[in-house]
Amino acid sequence: MKRPFRTVQRGLAISWLSLLIVAALLAPSTVPTPDLATINQPPFHSTHWLGTTSQGLDVGMSLWQGARTLLLVSVPAALCTLLLGGFLGGIAGYWGNTGLRITRTQLVLMVAGVGLAGLLLSWFPGAGGWPWLGVPAAAGLGLLPWRNKKPSTNTWPFPVDSSILALIALVNSVPLLVLVVAVASIQRPSLAGVVALLSLTCWPTPARLMRAATLQSRSQPYIEAAQAAGLPAVRILWRHISPNALPVLLVRFPLTVAVLISLETTLSFLGVGLPPETPSWGRLLAAVRQAPANWWLMLWPGLAIAFTILSLQYIATSKEGE
Amino acid sequence: MKHLSLRFFFLVWVGMVSSCTTPATYSAPGTVRIRWARDPENLDPLVVSNTSAYEVINLTHCSLLMGREEAHDFVPWLAEAFPSVERLSDSLLLVSYRIRPEATWDNGAPVLAQDVALTLKVMNCPGLPTEMDQAMFGFIRDIRLDTADSRRFTLVCAGQSPEHIRSSGDFSILPEYILDPGRQLRTVSLTAMRQQPVQAAVQALARRYQRLRLARHPENLPGCGPYRLSAWQSGRYLTLHRKPKWWADVLSAPPAQLQAYPTTLTYQVIPDAATATLALRRNEVDIYGLMPAAEFTRLQQSAEDRKRLAFYTADSYEFLTAGFNVRRPVFQDAATRKALCFLFDVPALIKATQQGAAIPSAGLISPRVADYYNDSLPLPVFSPTQTVGLLRQAGWQRQADGRWQRKVAKGAPQVLRFGVSYRAGEPAFETAALQFRAAAAAIGIEAELRPTEQAVLSRQLQAGETDMCIRNYSGNPFSYDFTALLHSRGIGASNTMQFSSAVTDRLIEQITSTEDKQKKKLLLRKFQRVMAQEVPFSVLYFQKYRVGASRAVGRVPVSGLKPGYEAARIRPMEAPL
């Protein structure tokens, strides 16, 4: 009895998401023009089929263009989140606290890189996010798996796992929404900024998943064999661990997109993150605060958000079931 | 044991349910609950940072004079009468006051001229945040106390502007018995306050003032106003209690400025307009001032709300402007600024954001002030065609990619691209910005909207970091001193457009110094004409103040001056409806 119902549910979810993607791809790229002569028009009473906002924006057009904004934010942010979380979780799981040994030079380079980034930030606060790149750049430089012909005996184990777990605990110690809203309210509104912000705050969950999957794979005999054969760590991670661990992340993808859509609409509802002229479902939903009697401002974007998130969640859970 | 635990859980459940029920939506007799959009943030009388703080300071402290809209002038408040004035040589003004004999502090001591002297010394004290007072009252050079009458004194003012007469009485008087209990400052003259090295007594005053931590604890320095602060939870509420024995209570027929009826004034901070409307409808607040037009109209049209709520409007002196930072290369010429002003569709904005209830204006004087308003100037019109024409006159050329560029003497050509800043979360500002942006984008002008949090925006404006800004300015019908706003002396403080010109500087000085009404009228009209040519900002419209109030608090006296109502003069009804 349950099978036909599930098939219908699945069909509806896929149809809705397909419709959303097609609508986003076909949406006009021009910024909607407010028509102040037709504010607060109810649906089906004029040429504005789904009504207008108190700023004279057509609800139907805003929904259509908002779908594109939704995809432009959530899909790249989800990819970045999974990549960042996957990378950090992978190296944490593979190296643990003793697997990576670094030399004094590498340690000095890392500390200097972090210090330099801090100095740049304090000296040039207007330099945007560029100095932040110094931290991973320096860390990456320091951790480069140089092929030392003569392995140095003067090395220390670098606690990669503990460091990344501490970072996860640090990010998780602040509620996600509070963290995102706080950072979004101080940065200049932009699409790229929202993508970066969401990526930098939502990576802990995929990182934990990837770490667990890597830990599981690391103890397999074929990994031990690869290590014994002297294969480089990067190659083992890429060729032998990730094929087994990546499906865990891929199943997570629709759920991550759903979470990011919720966050993006929340940010837009609060009026932070995206530029005010960018059409967004959250911004459309927020318009009801200026005109509480305009039910259509709540109904259409509310339904669209609910359908999208439910569809993504259904697909994610059905994938997990499979 | 099982029954015991069941009873325990039942009790917990009942407790939780009762604690979750709707809070009481009535207030104690004599209490008036008012909605605030913002927390006062800082209640130091030297640092009045926003309208909420200004409202509290005016209820807890008294100044010598008070501006009243009904009188179209300042009226005596702590002063017994309007001051007498004497002109000394060509450059000094002697303004003589006498303090009301009834005026006393909370400890029963009379308010004396020595208190005024001390207040002026605080306003000139090194080490205290006196920048604003220096800008506003720096013209007061000295105070001369009357040896025969301890309540009489004369202020020595630089310049002979009639505006200075009124301004000389517009600061809160602070008590000497708290700030200088040892009366050590009595021997220090006002001119000696800023001299180096700083005297020990002056340093002691600064330390004592700072120890009071007035920004968060204004109760440490009670003023001689009718109310005292009893509770303040930042961002939530603030409560003022009426002093049981206020000095003006002995007056048999107190004038309006000395009336204070509510026993308690509770201000509730509700930033969101929709939540505030809900609170008013649910009887959780009694007064909602500066109400958005759409909400106001909606409640007015509801029969149920009309039964419980009363609605008031007042023509205000607050106007919406689009200001240009004239130091920015693209805005350095008046033609470009003027061209961009044609992109605001003012009638449509008034209809959309103010429900049609606002007055478009050609200048920064309200059209209601018929004597001074220059009605020969054209009202702002929406005309992108004129924008294109004027931009071409200003040397801008439209490129093949649709953008506007102009050649400059040195360096790369200028691109007509700029940011439009406004206070985030303000629907009227955002609608104006969106409409402007759409009109600009249609003819190839790149305008980036920058909604900015209020405190950040204020800092950016002062530092000259904005390009174009949509914001409100408040005026009044009795003072036409534009020095702070548009004089070159105001750059770095209130002149956020960074605008200055020799002509306007001279005109502003002439306006403030003339007493002849006919001459003032001519000067003000000329000033408006010059401003219409220079266009450091474009006035879009003068708005109305809308106040929604519970009928339970009786009639609410409204005003065209901020905050739009006079809280102290509300007479809560004995038996609420």
Side-chain angles (χ1 to χ4, degrees):
Chain A
M1 274 305 282
K2 281 185 179 175
R3 189 171 287 275
F5 184 62
R6 276 190 189 163
T7 313
V8 171
Q9 273 188 320
R10 194 188 177 95
L12 280 174
I14 290 171
S15 305
W16 173 257
L17 292 177
S18 308
L19 182 73
L20 187 75
I21 292 166
V22 171
L25 290 174
L26 297 179
S29 58
T30 51
V31 172
T33 308
D35 179 7
L36 295 178
T38 57
I39 58 166
N40 298 325
Q41 295 276 319
F44 315 120
H45 278 73
S46 62
T47 50
H48 303 284
W49 287 2
L50 299 186
T52 59
T53 68
S54 53
Q55 289 176 330
L57 294 169
D58 183 84
V59 173
M61 180 60 83
S62 297
L63 274 177
W64 188 11
Q65 293 186 312
R68 197 190 46 203
T69 308
L70 200 74
L71 290 197
L72 280 177
V73 171
S74 59
V75 175
L79 285 172
C80 291
T81 301
L82 294 184
L83 278 176
L84 183 63
F87 170 73
L88 291 174
I91 61 171
Y94 180 73
W95 276 313
N97 285 329
T98 52
L100 182 71
R101 299 185 74 83
I102 57 170
T103 62
R104 186 180 295 173
T105 318
Q106 288 170 322
L107 186 69
V108 168
L109 269 174
M110 280 175 65
V111 173
V114 173
L116 186 67
L119 281 175
L120 281 172
L121 273 175
S122 58
W123 282 343
F124 307 107
W130 288 106
W132 286 110
L133 292 177
V135 180
L141 197 67
L143 293 175
L144 264 180
W146 291 321
R147 286 198 166 184
N148 295 333
K149 295 254 167 99
K150 263 191 196 171
S152 170
T153 50
N154 195 14
T155 57
W156 293 275
F158 184 76
V160 182
D161 194 28
S162 297
S163 304
I164 289 171
L165 284 177
L167 204 58
I168 289 173
L170 185 72
V171 175
N172 283 346
S173 63
V174 184
L176 183 61
L177 187 61
V178 176
L179 183 67
V180 169
V181 170
V183 179
S185 59
I186 55 169
Q187 73 171 20
R188 184 172 281 188
S190 74
L191 202 78
V194 173
V195 171
L197 170 66
L198 295 178
S199 308
L200 290 174
T201 47
C202 297
W203 61 268
T205 308
R208 277 205 306 261
L209 285 173
M210 187 67 179
R211 177 180 171 272
T214 310
L215 279 174
Q216 207 173 16
S217 301
R218 197 181 64 172
S219 56
Q220 298 297 320
Y222 65 91
I223 299 294
E224 285 171 5
Q227 283 171 335
L231 289 181
V234 176
R235 190 168 170 185
I236 296 173
L237 265 170
W238 181 245
R239 285 277 180 86
H240 303 286
I241 292 182
S242 60
N244 289 322
L246 274 181
V248 180
L249 287 188
L250 289 178
V251 169
R252 182 75 200 171
F253 184 74
L255 271 181
T256 309
V257 172
V259 168
L260 293 172
I261 285 174
S262 311
L263 277 174
E264 186 275 313
T265 45
T266 308
L267 286 180
S268 303
F269 181 83
L270 296 172
V272 291
L274 289 174
E277 67 274 14
T278 307
S280 153
W281 292 358
R283 194 170 288 277
L284 203 55
L285 202 58
V288 81
R289 290 195 301 186
Q290 289 168 39
N294 296 1
W295 53 268
W296 57 93
L297 297 178
M298 200 158 55
L299 182 71
W300 307 127
L303 283 177
I305 293 166
F307 284 158
T308 309
I309 289 175
L310 283 175
S311 302
L312 285 165
Q313 281 187 336
Y314 180 79
I315 286 173
T317 47
S318 64
K319 279 270 177 206
E320 269 178 352
E322 284 169 18
Chain B
M1 191 64 195
K2 193 180 173 186
H3 284 286
L4 194 66
S5 60
L6 269 175
R7 278 173 199 166
F8 174 74
F9 282 117
F10 178 74
L11 275 175
V12 170
W13 181 77
V14 167
M16 285 172 72
V17 166
S18 61
S19 66
C20 292
T21 50
T22 313
T25 55
Y26 58 85
S27 55
T31 298
V32 177
R33 298 159 303 165
I34 300 170
R35 178 259 179 171
W36 261 346
R38 288 181 67 190
D39 190 75
E41 292 164 14
N42 189 328
L43 284 176
D44 186 335
L46 293 180
V47 189
V48 183
S49 54
N50 62 36
T51 315
S52 305
Y54 186 72
E55 195 174 347
V56 174
I57 297 289
N58 273 346
L59 289 163
T60 51
H61 293 270
C62 286
S63 51
L64 297 164
L65 303 175
M66 172 197 247
R68 280 197 65 78
E69 193 197 11
E70 292 159 9
H72 280 263
D73 203 346
F74 278 81
V75 292
W77 192 6
L78 200 56
E80 195 173 45
F82 205 75
S84 59
V85 179
E86 186 188 336
R87 280 172 173 75
L88 202 67
S89 68
D90 287 341
S91 58
L92 290 177
L93 196 67
L94 301 181
V95 187
S96 299
Y97 288 93
R98 187 172 189 271
I99 294 171
R100 289 178 189 271
E102 304 87 6
T104 56
W105 297 108
D106 287 1
N107 66 351
V111 181
L112 300 174
Q114 285 289 3
D115 294 304
V116 181
L118 182 95
T119 306
L120 288 170
K121 287 169 190 170
V122 169
M123 286 158 57
N124 284 276
C125 182
L128 294 182
T130 58
E131 294 80 5
M132 193 191 292
D133 289 301
Q134 284 299 305
M136 290 172 71
F137 306 106
F139 63 90
I140 303 175
R141 296 293 162 85
D142 202 1
I143 179 169
R144 294 175 187 169
L145 307 182
D146 191 325
T147 48
D149 185 347
S150 60
R151 290 190 173 85
R152 194 179 293 279
F153 59 92
T154 300
L155 299 176
V156 182
C157 304
Q160 298 198 329
S161 161
E163 302 292 345
H164 285 173
I165 302 170
R166 288 159 179 82
S167 304
S168 69
D170 194 21
F171 54 90
S172 300
I173 306 300
L174 308 176
E176 187 195 32
Y177 76 93
I178 292 177
L179 292 171
D180 186 25
R183 298 178 177 183
Q184 293 157 328
L185 264 293
R186 285 195 177 186
T187 55
V188 181
S189 71
L190 190 58
T191 45
M193 287 297 293
R194 289 207 160 266
Q195 284 172 359
Q196 294 291 337
V198 180
Q199 297 182 29
V202 177
Q203 288 175 337
L205 172 70
R207 278 197 301 274
R208 214 173 294 122
Y209 193 92
Q210 283 162 347
R211 268 203 303 272
L212 293 174
R213 295 179 294 135
L214 296 177
R216 302 295 313 164
H217 296 281
E219 69 278 9
N220 291 339
L221 188 69
C224 55
Y227 290 88
R228 79 157 61 93
L229 182 93
S230 64
W232 180 19
Q233 277 283 321
S234 191
R236 291 178 59 206
Y237 65 86
L238 182 145
T239 305
L240 298 175
H241 274 134
R242 172 76 155 78
K243 291 173 184 169
K245 285 183 184 172
W246 184 43
W247 57 266
D249 293 341
V250 299
L251 299 172
S252 54
Q257 64 273 20
L258 290 175
Q259 294 170 1
Y261 299 113
T263 51
T264 307
L265 289 170
T266 300
Y267 292 93
Q268 295 183 6
V269 182
I270 310 174
D272 183 61
T275 314
T277 306
L278 193 65
L280 182 68
R281 295 183 73 194
R282 292 178 61 182
N283 201 23
E284 287 166 6
V285 293
D286 298 316
I287 293 181
Y288 180 177
L290 308 180
M291 210 169 174
E295 292 289 285
F296 188 79
T297 311
R298 189 169 66 85
L299 293 191
Q300 262 186 324
Q301 287 168 352
S302 154
E304 194 188 330
D305 289 318
R306 274 202 309 272
K307 275 185 209 161
R308 288 189 306 101
L309 302 174
F311 302 94
Y312 308 88
T313 57
D315 288 316
S316 80
Y317 300 90
E318 187 166 329
F319 49 98
L320 183 69
T321 64
F324 303 97
N325 180 351
V326 300
R327 297 277 169 95
R328 290 279 194 257
V330 290
F331 295 141
Q332 270 175 355
D333 59 304
T336 303
R337 303 196 292 263
K338 197 168 187 175
L340 295 174
C341 293
F342 284 109
L343 294 176
F344 284 101
D345 190 351
V346 176
L349 286 172
I350 290 176
K351 188 166 171 262
T353 64
Q354 306 296 315
Q355 306 283 302
I359 310 167
S361 174
L364 72 177
I365 290 175
S366 169
R368 288 166 53 218
V369 188
D371 278 352
Y372 294 147
Y373 177 68
N374 191 337
D375 50 7
S376 67
L377 295 171
L379 287 171
V381 291
F382 177 61
S383 174
T385 321
Q386 290 202 51
T387 303
V388 171
L390 278 168
L391 285 178
R392 293 214 167 103
Q393 278 179 31
W396 297 97
Q397 293 298 323
R398 198 156 185 196
Q399 305 300 303
D401 60 359
R403 296 195 303 180
W404 291 84
Q405 272 190 7
R406 73 175 166 193
K407 289 176 184 159
V408 287
K410 285 180 187 173
Q414 276 180 3
V415 179
L416 189 52
R417 182 195 301 140
F418 52 88
V420 182
S421 304
Y422 58 92
R423 195 170 72 215
E426 182 60 58
F429 295 2
E430 185 161 285
T431 306
L434 282 169
Q435 183 273 316
F436 174 83
R437 193 204 165 278
I443 54 171
I445 299 170
E446 294 175 52
E448 182 197 344
L449 302 190
R450 294 174 188 162
T452 313
E453 196 268 326
Q454 173 65 42
V456 179
L457 183 61
S458 302
R459 189 190 52 73
Q460 287 180 350
L461 283 167
Q462 290 226 328
E465 290 171 359
T466 58
D467 297 337
M468 185 176 168
C469 183
I470 294 174
R471 61 178 297 200
N472 272 359
Y473 282 103
S474 293
N476 61 57
F478 34 77
S479 174
Y480 295 96
D481 185 354
F482 302 108
T483 310
L485 193 65
L486 291 161
H487 197 281
S488 52
R489 287 205 300 268
I491 293 174
S494 302
N495 185 349
T496 53
M497 278 87 59
Q498 321 277 316
F499 171 78
S500 70
S501 81
V503 178
T504 51
D505 278 4
R506 197 167 53 249
L507 272 171
I508 289 168
E509 285 156 19
Q510 286 174 336
I511 289 165
T512 52
S513 61
T514 187
E515 275 189 282
D516 180 0
K517 196 175 175 189
Q518 195 57 32
K519 195 178 168 195
K520 192 167 201 158
K521 179 177 167 178
L522 292 172
L523 285 168
L524 278 168
R525 285 175 172 238
K526 187 178 174 188
F527 180 65
Q528 289 169 79
R529 197 170 59 247
V530 174
M531 293 306 292
Q533 287 157 3
E534 292 285 348
V535 208
F537 60 74
S538 168
V539 176
L540 304 182
Y541 53 77
F542 276 79
Q543 63 191 57
K544 270 183 190 289
Y545 285 156
R546 299 172 191 82
V547 180
S550 163
R551 289 190 186 276
V553 294
R555 204 188 73 77
V556 176
V558 291
S559 160
L561 306 177
K562 267 194 169 174
Y565 53 83
E566 295 178 64
R569 290 184 60 214
I570 297 168
R571 290 175 186 245
M573 294 165 83
E574 290 296 321
L577 296 172

